[in-house]
Amino acid sequence: MSSAQTDVIVIGGGLSGLSAAKLLREKGLDVLVLEARDRVGGRTYTVQRDNVSYVDLGGAYVGPTQNRLLRLAKEFGVKTYLTNEVEDLAFYQKGRTHRFKGAFPPMRNFLAHMDLNNLFRLMDKLGKEIPAAAPWKAPDAEKLDNMTMQEFFDQHVWTKETKAFGSQFVQVNVTSEPYEISALWFLWYVQGAGGPFRIYATSNGGQERKFVGGSQQISDLIAERIGPGQASIIEPRCVSRSAGETSVTVQCINGQKFHAKYAVVATPLPLQNKMTYEPPLPSLRNQLIQRIPMGSVIKTFMYYKKPFWRENGFCGSAAIDDDGAIIGFTLDDVKPDGNHPALMGFILADKARQYVDMSTDERKRRISQLYCKVFQSEKALKPVHYEEMNWLGEQWSGGCYTTLMPPGFLTKFGKEIRKPFGERASREILHDLGKIRADEIWQDEPENDEVIAREFVSTFWERNLPSVPGFLKLAGMTSLLSAVAVGAFLYHRFK
Amino acid sequence: MSSAQTDVIVIGGGLSGLSAAKLLREKGLDVLVLEARDRVGGRTYTVQRDNVSYVDLGGAYVGPTQNRLLRLAKEFGVKTYLTNEVEDLAFYQKGRTHRFKGAFPPMRNFLAHMDLNNLFRLMDKLGKEIPAAAPWKAPDAEKLDNMTMQEFFDQHVWTKETKAFGSQFVQVNVTSEPYEISALWFLWYVQGAGGPFRIYATSNGGQERKFVGGSQQISDLIAERIGPGQASIIEPRCVSRSAGETSVTVQCINGQKFHAKYAVVATPLPLQNKMTYEPPLPSLRNQLIQRIPMGSVIKTFMYYKKPFWRENGFCGSAAIDDDGAIIGFTLDDVKPDGNHPALMGFILADKARQYVDMSTDERKRRISQLYCKVFQSEKALKPVHYEEMNWLGEQWSGGCYTTLMPPGFLTKFGKEIRKPFGERASREILHDLGKIRADEIWQDEPENDEVIAREFVSTFWERNLPSVPGFLKLAGMTSLLSAVAVGAFLYHRFK
């Protein structure tokens, strides 16, 4: 069996592990990246095919505030292009499509509008109160953490329409259901992504751009640069780690052994169960990695001869609120050169679990039928090609997009996660080796000079519209009739 | 690397894996049991020491309805003895000890009593409506499953005292907190253990007996019988499984490879993450094993010269409802011959996570100080020995006593679990090989002829006492004064 010595072993060749390795390499250390798959990139996965050119079957979108990724892309000359949002967005509900512009779809009645406005104002307010680096210190942290998002909606949302949109908002942002996640975690996560508007929006938000040529390029290019010389990427699956006083040994399934001064584990948390540890992990860490599963999503692409939705005045973005609909969220996926027009659609959370054992042909059929209704064109029924990626079945990712935290997890186990990782892990090592100062370990990322975050400006009515109970109280004070008059007045004003 | 061929490989040498192997062996098959630890028994773990004789640091208790285990014990001549419950039980609350007899401690006021009665009547009723083999078919299954036990208590419990006891009931039965578990799962689990009275009771309940000589003996004796001949138990850690059309290959970390016609995986579900699979697991199974963690408990034993609690008229059982108390539940642990008197105490769920990084000496000190207050004797402060087992840190168990199911898991992933395991897995294999009929696969276990389940008889008042809201409605109908009179009357009757 082979046996090699290096400075640092990085376990996991996704973006996190590779960016850690790159940083160490730049400081002159020997680095070895271990990856279980026969490719790097992890949850970014770009596939080349004749009939689609290339397609991002995994993580694809990037937008303002994601400055670390934007910096890496720029360094390697990977360009971005805008996700199409020129024409109308679609909101599909109860068998009907409603056109709209902006981040959130319009609610169909006044109470629901007030309710939605109040919900997102509240989520934004609570999110801002949660310290990014110590969410367990938020006001009412334990109360919010011991509650699911479902409970949060039950407590704060009054209308069926807003509750349904709240669920869809959870599903599309974290590929899980409101009943399975901690409210504290979700509010913290959304805030970490720039707030409820930034995370959900296309323009000025998380889905603003895609990478020309696909997102996996960035990992491929890092891997190429750190190369097979002093740092190398190999395929065997890592299975165990044993820590000596001043060194770490990693043994892979194929029997290969590697020794290093440090190891950085850069895999999703649940996959850390796949390794065995000698000595065993600390107790809380041993239980933590059992408690933080990956989300559930199947990413689909339906290809057409022409972007028929644009012809109908739709940009391709749709939020779909329908129990029977297989897809929850779509975006235009036409290539920057206008070729290979497609609609990207997510099968999310419970829907992913429900439809995962169906045949690919049957999924394709249901999706094209749904698109026919959502984008109001029979042309949707005649796709020329279909691609999909079932992340639920991926042994070396566990799921996508990310981990989810069940109720109570963050306040009880959260601190165990805030251990160094990625580039920061590398800087902890560099500091330990005397190569950088302690105050250089934590580094804010300056804003990218091309992809700029603009503030989401709220209107007077968004800030001041009452909540549903507030409105009903008002109604109680004035009599139902005059309240209806006030309602009609307000409705007229914000319309 | 060695390579061997057998009929069936069983992965996991706990009671489940060993009983599966035993059954197959009895039908003439070659069986190989793979175990990661250097011992069998899994979560049963009996340690021999001079100053304690022996002690069950893992699963220890057995009672009526646990007929499979009782049958195995009898077959190997392992005897049981009664957990002492002669003297009074203790209920410790707000710094005071209250003596009682029976399964549940008395609530200190009338509303709380009515509330507790109503809660357990409701849990029993709902539990009985849940089909044991298909809990997702229960009335309102999805609603109950998407709700945590915390929400269930918030909806159905009116008094602080009953809510606190409800939490303690969850903690001691499933070593987890109400906020992290599905209500449907908990009600189903409790029902599977014979209902809320059976699971919690000592006499006529789950803690009625212990095994003379310790519970691990049963595993040791099965392992000894199936022996190192045609069936054998080996130590290497199993790391991967690849399934051919008609055979299975299991490769261990040390490189050893084994081939078989069938494999039975008999490890806790979260530990199935530790293996790698070729081909990969089905999608839902791949995500299921990330979503079902093990509970959190530290089992402790405080040894004394004499069982001073008995001298004070306490049997040794205590339910402790106190946020600052390290222990939540105690039982007498005097050996059947009267030697090595000890109090067994569980550090449960959040308390286990809170106190796990404390030094053993500090835990010991806090526990003896608590026992001094609970059992009202300074003698508690002078233990002669202390034993404990931190199950949170066990890599090859993940935790104890068992898995817990977070909200939504059972209705969405549950069917994936009802795949054959243990003795039933063996019978599936025997049927496949033509050795038994299809109708012999599922076998009910006849009741043990020594350990008999007696019915828990409810009183007229337990059946008919109103709930708190029912009582308040009654109060509203009659005026507060007369309601108080009714209350006083009822209180007098059931006292």
Side-chain angles (χ1 to χ4, degrees), chain A residues 332-400:
Chain A
D332 179 285
D333 205 77
V334 183
K335 293 283 183 304
D337 60 7
N339 283 325
H340 308 293
L343 286 166
M344 187 291 299
F346 287 128
I347 308 178
L348 295 160
D350 270 354
K351 298 270 177 76
R353 298 153 195 163
Q354 179 185 343
Y355 292 108
V356 71
D357 288 333
M358 191 175 260
S359 72
T360 301
D361 276 354
E362 179 62 16
R363 271 192 295 268
K364 179 182 172 186
R365 198 181 61 77
R366 290 201 185 212
I367 295 168
S368 60
Q369 284 177 350
L370 177 66
Y371 289 169
C372 170
K373 289 188 262 178
V374 172
F375 297 108
Q376 305 177 319
S377 169
E378 297 280 325
K379 290 179 186 161
L381 299 174
K382 294 192 175 140
V384 295
H385 183 65
Y386 175 67
E387 292 281 345
E388 65 171 22
M389 176 78 186
N390 164 25
W391 286 95
L392 287 71
E394 285 294 294
Q395 180 163 219
W396 300 111
S397 291
C400 259

Side-chain angles (χ1 to χ4, degrees), chain B residues 7 35 90 132 237 254 294 315 352 415 465:
Chain B
D7 288 325
E35 169 56 45
R237 291 151 190 188
N254 66 1
M294 300 294 286
C315 70
K415 281 174 205 169
L465 200 63

Side-chain angles (χ1 to χ4, degrees), chain A residues 278-475:
Chain A
E278 211 177 298
L281 290 177
S283 297
L284 288 179
R285 186 90 191 176
N286 185 45
Q287 291 219 314
L288 178 156
I289 55 178
Q290 300 170 38
R291 282 166 164 74
I292 183 164
M294 300 295 287
S296 309
V297 65
I298 303 171
K299 192 175 188 183
T300 74
F301 295 84
M302 197 70 76
Y303 290 84
Y304 295 97
K305 253 190 175 157
K306 289 184 174 179
F308 68 86
W309 52 95
R310 294 188 185 178
E311 293 164 12
N312 272 14
F314 291 110
C315 69
S317 303
I320 299 167
D321 164 22
D322 183 328
D323 284 346
I326 181 168
I327 296 286
F329 192 81
T330 71
L331 287 170
D332 179 285
D333 205 77
V334 183
K335 293 283 183 304
D337 60 7
N339 283 325
H340 308 293
L343 286 166
M344 187 291 299
F346 287 128
I347 308 178
L348 295 160
D350 270 354
K351 298 270 177 76
R353 298 153 195 163
Q354 179 185 343
Y355 292 108
V356 71
D357 288 333
M358 191 175 260
S359 72
T360 301
D361 276 354
E362 179 62 16
R363 271 192 295 268
K364 179 182 172 186
R365 198 181 61 77
R366 290 201 185 212
I367 295 168
S368 60
Q369 284 177 350
L370 177 66
Y371 289 169
C372 170
K373 289 188 262 178
V374 172
F375 297 108
Q376 305 177 319
S377 169
E378 297 280 325
K379 290 179 186 161
L381 299 174
K382 294 192 175 140
V384 295
H385 183 65
Y386 175 67
E387 292 281 345
E388 65 171 22
M389 176 78 186
N390 164 25
W391 286 95
L392 287 71
E394 285 294 294
Q395 180 163 219
W396 300 111
S397 291
C400 259
Y401 328 130
T402 183
T403 50
L404 62 102
M405 296 193 195
F409 177 88
L410 189 52
T411 50
K412 309 309 180 323
F413 291 93
K415 280 174 209 172
E416 288 293 315
I417 305 186
R418 297 290 302 181
K419 303 282 165 74
F421 74 104
E423 290 183 350
R424 183 160 57 85
S426 295
R427 288 194 295 263
E428 298 268 1
I429 291 169
L430 291 169
H431 172 62
D432 205 49
L433 292 171
K435 293 191 180 257
I436 62 171
R437 299 189 312 271
D439 61 7
E440 292 174 302
I441 294 173
W442 278 92
Q443 288 187 19
D444 283 337
E445 185 73 20
E447 181 167 70
N448 188 277
D449 50 11
E450 286 164 19
V451 183
I452 309 294
R454 285 162 286 127
E455 246 192 272
F456 283 88
V457 182
S458 62
T459 66
F460 174 81
W461 285 111
E462 280 164 3
R463 290 190 301 275
N464 294 294
L465 200 66
S467 65
V468 170
F471 174 70
L472 294 178
K473 210 168 147 192
L474 181 74

Side-chain angles (χ1 to χ4, degrees), chain B residues 13 26 45 65 76 85 96 107 142 153 157 256 262 393 436:
Chain B
E26 285 163 359
Y45 180 36
T65 74
F76 288 97
E85 210 184 26
R96 289 188 53 191
M107 293 293 100
E142 201 159 344
F153 290 147
V157 178
Q256 280 186 288
Y262 301 88
I436 62 171

Side-chain angles (χ1 to χ4, degrees), chain A residues 151 179 251 253 273-277 283 286-287 290-291 294-296 350 390 392 394-395 398 408 412, chain B residues 151 179 253 273-277 283 286-287 290-291 294-296 350 390 392 394-395 398 408 412:
Chain A
E151 271 185 273
Y179 64 74
Q251 183 188 332
I253 284 183
N273 278 304
K274 284 215 165 298
M275 288 174 260
T276 68
Y277 302 87
S283 297
N286 185 45
Q287 291 219 314
Q290 300 170 38
R291 282 166 164 74
M294 300 295 287
S296 309
D350 270 354
N390 164 25
L392 287 71
E394 285 294 294
Q395 180 163 219
K412 309 309 180 323
Chain B
E151 271 185 272
Y179 65 73
I253 283 184
N273 278 305
K274 284 216 166 295
M275 288 175 261
T276 68
Y277 302 87
S283 297
N286 184 45
Q287 291 219 314
Q290 301 169 37
R291 281 165 165 72
M294 300 294 286
S296 309
D350 270 352
N390 165 25
L392 286 72
E394 286 294 294
Q395 182 162 217
K412 308 308 181 322

Side-chain angles (χ1 to χ4, degrees), chain A residues 11-289:
Chain A
I11 300 172
L15 268 169
S16 171
L18 289 169
S19 60
K22 171 176 176 290
L23 199 153
L24 293 167
R25 192 66 210 89
E26 286 164 358
K27 295 286 183 182
L29 298 188
D30 283 352
V31 188
L32 178 70
V33 179
L34 300 177
E35 168 56 47
R37 288 187 168 103
D38 57 4
R39 62 171 181 86
V40 295
R43 283 169 280 159
T44 60
Y45 180 36
T46 309
V47 168
Q48 326 285 335
R49 293 201 216 288
D50 283 349
N51 40 6
V52 307
S53 172
Y54 66 89
V55 56
D56 270 333
L57 295 178
Y61 299 101
V62 66
T65 75
Q66 301 178 27
N67 297 309
R68 286 182 170 80
L69 182 56
L70 289 165
R71 184 234 310 154
L72 282 173
K74 191 176 177 184
E75 186 178 338
F76 288 97
V78 179
K79 299 252 181 297
T80 64
Y81 69 99
L82 293 172
T83 308
N84 179 52
E85 209 184 24
V86 174
E87 301 85 357
D88 288 342
L89 289 82
F91 178 47
Y92 183 79
Q93 196 185 38
K94 294 182 185 162
R96 288 189 54 193
T97 296
H98 309 281
R99 292 168 183 270
F100 74 103
K101 296 273 189 186
F104 292 155
M107 294 291 101
R108 305 313 296 168
N109 69 67
F110 174 61
L111 281 185
H113 176 91
M114 206 155 55
D115 207 16
L116 186 80
N117 185 69
N118 180 63
L119 172 65
F120 282 91
R121 193 169 52 191
L122 178 66
M123 286 177 55
D124 197 35
K125 177 184 164 288
L126 292 175
K128 283 177 177 151
E129 291 171 359
I130 303 173
W136 43 87
K137 289 184 182 164
D140 286 325
E142 200 158 346
K143 194 180 143 203
L144 280 170
D145 194 31
N146 289 358
M147 168 189 297
T148 64
M149 263 320 277
Q150 185 68 58
E151 271 185 273
F152 184 88
F153 290 146
D154 288 347
Q155 282 186 17
H156 297 290
V157 178
W158 290 71
T159 61
K160 234 199 285 186
E161 290 79 1
T162 298
K163 212 173 261 188
F165 182 70
S167 293
Q168 203 259 2
F169 184 80
V170 167
Q171 290 152 1
V172 72
N173 284 319
V174 293
T175 60
S176 51
E177 297 288 338
Y179 64 74
E180 60 187 333
I181 61 170
S182 150
L184 180 68
W185 170 69
F186 185 70
L187 295 169
W188 176 58
Y189 183 92
V190 167
Q191 196 56 34
F197 303 96
R198 184 86 61 201
I199 197 174
Y200 193 77
T202 298
S203 302
N204 199 20
Q207 287 65 246
E208 184 177 277
R209 289 154 190 272
K210 299 190 65 181
F211 294 104
V212 180
S215 61
Q216 196 190 326
Q217 286 176 101
I218 300 167
S219 297
D220 288 335
L221 290 164
I222 299 177
E224 198 177 294
R225 178 177 305 171
I226 60 182
Q230 282 182 290
S232 66
I233 289 148
I234 54 163
E235 291 176 21
R237 291 152 190 185
C238 161
V239 293
S240 74
R241 185 207 75 173
S242 71
E245 290 237 331
T246 53
S247 73
V248 177
T249 300
V250 177
Q251 183 188 332
C252 299
I253 284 183
N254 66 2
Q256 279 186 288
K257 274 188 188 175
F258 302 95
H259 309 284
K261 297 195 190 87
Y262 301 89
V264 175
V265 181
T267 73
L269 283 158
L271 296 197
Q272 295 176 19
N273 278 304
K274 284 215 165 298
M275 288 174 260
T276 68
Y277 302 87
E278 211 177 298
L281 290 177
S283 297
L284 288 179
R285 186 90 191 176
N286 185 45
Q287 291 219 314
L288 178 156
I289 55 178

